[in-house]
């Protein structure tokens, strides 16, 4: 790569730079936003949203690896082309000469701005909305870019579903560009982003090593994100499945109210741990500003303890009673009760959250407190941990659904766009984990056994081989979603 085509900020390998150029409002900023994984880029419905060049670099481990420069759309392409055709100087100075000759002329303000990175040696990515026919003005813009003699590829970003003009565009592009790709900036997945980078390799042979390096870095980074997500998932499962809360019962009259408020605290705390984990995952995939909107029919709109969540994720009616307990419905059978000298009857009378491990812990010194005529002492009511294998699978399923939405949410998408993931959502008929192999389920079972039984309530000494295996299957499950 020649020196001019790259930035080099004191790092060993040159950083490839591409200017994203096109007619106003065709989706240039959207393409930059998605390619650079930057949701801060200004994307808007009115032409003229971008007024100055904005370089957006992808940084991995603190190192810049590629820069995309967002540019304003052409303002006066006809006269620009006419000037370029009249130009008599050396070819390699054409772009800079144009800028020098027009930098104080407001009628060419946008051309001067958008050609700046090109004059400095950037490669060109020309963006068009391929869902409309080619006009004469497009041909003029393509000719301007051809005259700059910079390596260039074209990107067809269809803003609507009309595809009848695509062949026309492809033919025109074959004449003017070294490579062409259909790339929908609002729907592109990670794989499609990598494919686009692969196409950049053929734009200029000299760029191949640098672009290959960029692709390698992207892949390593993606792998790292999946690894981190897997370990955050394991941490979330440990926290949720081992959480419990305890309250001293001071007043028998308030017993029901205390119990109800404990249930609320317990449920909210578990929901909060889940939400925090999801939010960390969203940030890890560089969605800083916009929430990745979930499809309207996504099960993640349901609360963790809603009956619908559990039903959807494939639980049997018996297993559903546990969710029902949390949703304020019927009480199920109590399991996992830790009683300190009290009869099982009392626990049965507690009702409420089935399987959550309600326990009355006998306090020091018996007081006069009675519950349904039975003395309780200054006892503590403990709720949790909710040790249920089914519950663990629900959490895993919800995390995988969330991860799938995040990784498929192109960074150019803003709130309120048409829903592009309906199809993907329809495919998730029940929990993803229900299709896991027996081997994977064994790993889950071993993990569960180690964090849930009474011997190891806080999960702090989870054997490392079990943790590694659990993280391994989760990471593979995450990778399957790419
Ligand atoms: N549905 C859909 N809308 C798109 C797509 N790409 C761009 N848009 C919309 O088209 C409008 C223009 O998008 P921008 O990315 O801002 O276009 P631009 O070329 O940078 O526009 P200027 O900076 O004004 O020249 C915005 O309202 C985008 O939401 C797409 O792939 N799908
Ligand atoms: Mg723009």
């Amino acid at each position: 790569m020649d020196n001019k085509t790259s930035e080099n900020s004191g790092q060993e390998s040159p950083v490839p730079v591409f200017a994203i150029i096109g007619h106003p409002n065709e989706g240039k900023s959207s393409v930059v936003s998605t390619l650079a994984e930057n949701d801060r880029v200004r994307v808007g419905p009115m032409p003229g949203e971008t007024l100055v060049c904005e370089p957006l670099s992808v940084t991995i481990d603190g190192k810049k690896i590629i820069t995309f420069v967002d540019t304003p759309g052409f303002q006066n392409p006809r006269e620009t082309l006419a000037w370029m055709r009249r130009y008599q100087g050396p070819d390699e100075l054409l772009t800079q000469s144009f800028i020098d000759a027009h930098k104080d002329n407001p009628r060419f303000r946008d051309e001067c701005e958008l050609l700046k990175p090109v004059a400095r040696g950037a490669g060109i990515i020309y963006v068009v909305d391929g869902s409309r026919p080619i006009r004469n003005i497009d041909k003029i813009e393509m000719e301007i870019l051809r005259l700059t003699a910079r390596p260039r590829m074209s990107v067809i970003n269809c803003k609507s579903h009309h595809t009848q003009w695509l062949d026309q565009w492809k033919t025109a592009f074959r004449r003017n560009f070294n490579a062409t790709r259909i790339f929908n900036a609002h729907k592109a997945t990670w794989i499609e982003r990598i494919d686009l980078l692969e196409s950049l390799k053929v734009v200029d042979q000299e760029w191949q090593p640098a672009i290959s390096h960029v692709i390698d870095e992207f892949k390593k980074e993606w792998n790292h994100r999946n690894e981190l997500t897997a370990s955050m998932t394991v941490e979330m499962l440990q926290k949720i499945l081992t959480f419990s809360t305890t309250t001293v019962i001071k007043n028998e009259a308030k017993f029901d109210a205390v119990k109800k408020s404990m249930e609320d605290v317990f449920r909210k705390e578990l929901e909060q741990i889940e939400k925090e984990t999801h939010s960390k995952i969203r940030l890890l995939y560089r969605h800083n500003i916009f929430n990745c909107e979930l499809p309207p029919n996504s099960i993640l709109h349901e609360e963790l303890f809603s009956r619908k969540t559990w039903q959807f994720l494939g639980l049997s009616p018996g297993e559903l009673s546990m969710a029902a307990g949390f949703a304020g419905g019927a009480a199920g059978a109590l399991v996992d009760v830790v009683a300190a000298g009290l009869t099982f009857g009392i626990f049965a009378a507690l009702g409420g959250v089935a399987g959550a491990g309600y326990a009355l812990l006998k306090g020091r010194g018996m007081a006069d407190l009675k519950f349904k005529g039975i003395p309780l002492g200054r006892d503590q009511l403990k709720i949790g941990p909710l040790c249920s294998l089914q519950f663990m699978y629900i959490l895993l399923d919800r995390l995988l659904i969330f991860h799938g939405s995040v990784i498929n949410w192109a960074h150019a998408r803003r709130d309120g766009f048409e829903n592009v993931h309906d199809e993907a959502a329809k495919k998730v008929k029940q929990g993803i984990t229900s299709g896991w192999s027996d081997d994977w389920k064994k790993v889950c079972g071993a993990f569960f056994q180690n964090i849930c039984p009474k011997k190891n309530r806080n999960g702090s000494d989870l054997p490392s081989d079990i943790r590694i295996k659990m993280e391994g299957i989760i990471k593979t499950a995450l990778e399957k979603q790419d």
Side-chain angles (χ1 to χ4, degrees):
M1 188 189 297
D2 63 47
N3 287 338
K4 286 179 113 191
T5 53
S6 64
E7 285 177 349
N8 200 338
S9 47
Q11 298 170 15
E12 288 151 29
S13 46
V15 177
V17 181
F18 288 92
I20 317 296
I21 292 180
H23 202 71
N25 209 36
E26 297 283 285
K28 299 179 292 301
S29 300
S30 298
V31 168
V32 174
S33 177
T34 293
L35 283 181
E37 293 195 312
N38 187 323
D39 58 0
R40 294 193 166 91
V41 177
R42 283 178 68 114
V43 167
M46 302 301 291
E49 186 72 38
T50 308
L51 294 172
V52 291
C53 282
E54 198 184 337
L56 288 133
S57 298
V58 177
T59 306
I60 295 178
D61 284 339
K63 276 192 192 159
K64 233 187 237 185
I65 61 156
I66 189 167
T67 300
F68 299 103
V69 186
D70 194 12
T71 69
F74 282 99
Q75 173 184 9
N76 195 347
R78 272 195 182 82
E79 288 184 59
T80 302
L81 180 60
W83 187 94
M84 287 183 164
R85 279 183 168 154
R86 287 196 305 271
Y87 172 76
Q88 300 280 316
D91 285 353
E92 65 278 14
L93 294 181
L94 168 85
T95 316
Q96 190 56 52
S97 304
F98 174 85
I99 297 170
D100 294 341
H102 298 88
K103 60 180 184 300
D104 299 321
N105 187 341
R107 291 177 49 244
F108 294 92
R109 203 202 69 88
D110 293 342
E111 275 74 16
C112 288
E113 186 68 17
L114 74 91
L115 288 172
K116 255 197 255 167
V118 180
R120 287 190 202 125
I124 295 170
I125 296 179
Y126 178 61
V127 176
V128 297
D129 172 9
S131 58
R132 60 163 182 84
I134 301 190
R135 300 161 306 198
N136 201 33
I137 202 79
D138 303 311
K139 293 182 183 160
I140 290 172
E141 291 171 3
M142 287 187 233
E143 182 60 8
I144 292 172
L145 298 181
R146 197 182 66 79
L147 291 179
T148 67
R150 294 305 307 151
R152 57 201 174 278
M153 85 175 279
S154 49
V155 162
I156 305 176
N157 169 51
C158 289
K159 284 166 64 174
S160 73
H161 302 295
H162 303 290
T163 53
Q164 65 266 46
W165 316 108
L166 282 181
D167 286 341
Q168 209 182 57
W169 280 109
K170 282 183 195 162
T171 307
F173 285 159
R174 255 176 234 127
R175 281 191 216 115
N176 291 287
F177 294 90
N178 314 83
T180 296
R181 266 217 95 79
I182 296 178
F183 179 81
N184 190 310
H186 286 203
K187 296 185 192 177
T189 60
W190 180 71
I191 302 276
E192 286 163 341
R193 279 176 8 227
I194 294 288
D195 285 348
L196 191 139
L197 292 174
E198 290 282 356
S199 305
L200 281 179
K201 276 202 228 166
V202 302
V203 168
D204 191 320
Q205 211 178 355
E206 285 180 36
W207 286 0
Q208 279 185 11
I211 304 288
S212 296
H213 172 71
V214 171
I215 293 170
D216 285 350
E217 290 297 313
F218 263 82
K219 287 184 177 168
K220 267 196 251 162
E221 162 73 6
W222 197 258
N223 185 52
H224 183 56
R225 288 182 201 175
N226 283 338
E227 258 165 27
L228 285 176
T229 303
S231 93
M232 286 194 267
T233 307
V234 166
E235 207 176 300
M236 175 191 83
L237 294 177
Q238 278 190 274
K239 275 192 196 163
I240 291 185
L241 295 173
T242 57
F243 179 78
S244 65
T245 179
T246 307
T247 304
V248 174
I249 305 159
K250 293 182 185 143
N251 182 346
E252 186 186 357
K254 293 196 177 145
F255 186 86
D256 285 343
V258 169
K259 179 173 155 278
K260 164 89 181 58
S261 100
M262 275 184 84
E263 280 174 15
D264 285 348
V265 167
F266 184 73
R267 190 183 55 231
K268 281 193 185 126
E269 183 61 30
L270 300 195
E271 283 169 351
Q272 188 57 26
I273 297 169
E274 188 197 37
K275 267 201 193 97
E276 277 167 14
T277 307
H278 287 189
S279 161
K280 277 197 244 165
I281 291 170
R282 185 167 70 82
L283 293 177
L284 185 63
Y285 289 86
R286 303 194 176 172
H287 289 285
N288 295 300
I289 301 180
F290 297 95
N291 274 320
C292 308
E293 260 177 50
L294 298 161
N297 55 350
S298 171
I299 195 63
L300 292 188
H301 290 300
E302 292 294 322
E303 289 187 345
L304 177 56
F305 290 108
S306 97
R307 189 179 183 89
K308 206 166 156 195
T309 297
W310 291 49
Q311 212 156 23
F312 181 89
L313 294 172
L315 293 199
S316 68
E319 291 158 345
L320 273 168
S321 64
M322 201 177 298
F326 278 99
L334 273 168
V335 292
D336 191 24
V337 172
V338 182
L342 294 167
T343 62
F344 190 83
I346 293 180
F347 300 106
L350 287 170
V353 187
Y358 259 124
L360 278 171
L361 304 177
K362 200 165 124 186
R364 272 184 246 127
M366 300 290 272
D368 296 328
L369 189 63
K370 289 186 179 176
F371 175 63
K372 305 227 168 164
I374 303 166
L376 298 179
R378 285 190 68 78
D379 290 344
Q380 292 178 312
L381 182 62
K382 179 182 173 208
I383 180 169
L386 178 42
C387 281
S388 147
L389 188 61
Q390 284 76 16
F391 183 47
M392 185 176 96
Y393 282 123
I394 298 279
L395 291 164
L396 275 169
D397 278 332
R398 283 171 60 93
L399 187 127
L400 290 169
I401 293 171
F402 181 80
H403 174 263
S405 296
V406 167
I407 61 165
N408 287 313
W409 181 273
H411 289 72
R413 288 192 67 200
R414 306 290 183 258
D415 298 333
F417 288 141
E418 91 274 29
N419 204 301
V420 293
H421 298 306
D422 283 353
E423 285 310 310
K426 273 181 214 152
K427 283 188 211 152
V428 187
K429 284 274 182 284
Q430 60 171 175
I432 298 162
T433 56
S434 61
W436 282 8
S437 68
D438 288 347
D439 283 349
W440 280 26
K441 285 185 178 157
K442 263 188 215 151
V443 174
C444 290
F447 170 78
F448 177 79
Q449 281 307 318
N450 271 276
I451 57 167
C452 269
K454 286 144 210 166
K455 63 174 173 164
N456 195 4
R457 285 268 186 225
N458 61 15
S460 56
D461 47 352
L462 174 69
S464 66
D465 60 321
I466 289 182
R467 169 187 288 279
I468 289 165
K469 273 191 196 151
M470 188 65 181
E471 287 181 355
I473 61 163
I474 294 171
K475 178 164 176 268
T476 310
L478 296 170
E479 285 164 355
K480 282 187 179 178
Q481 311 215 89
D482 288 347

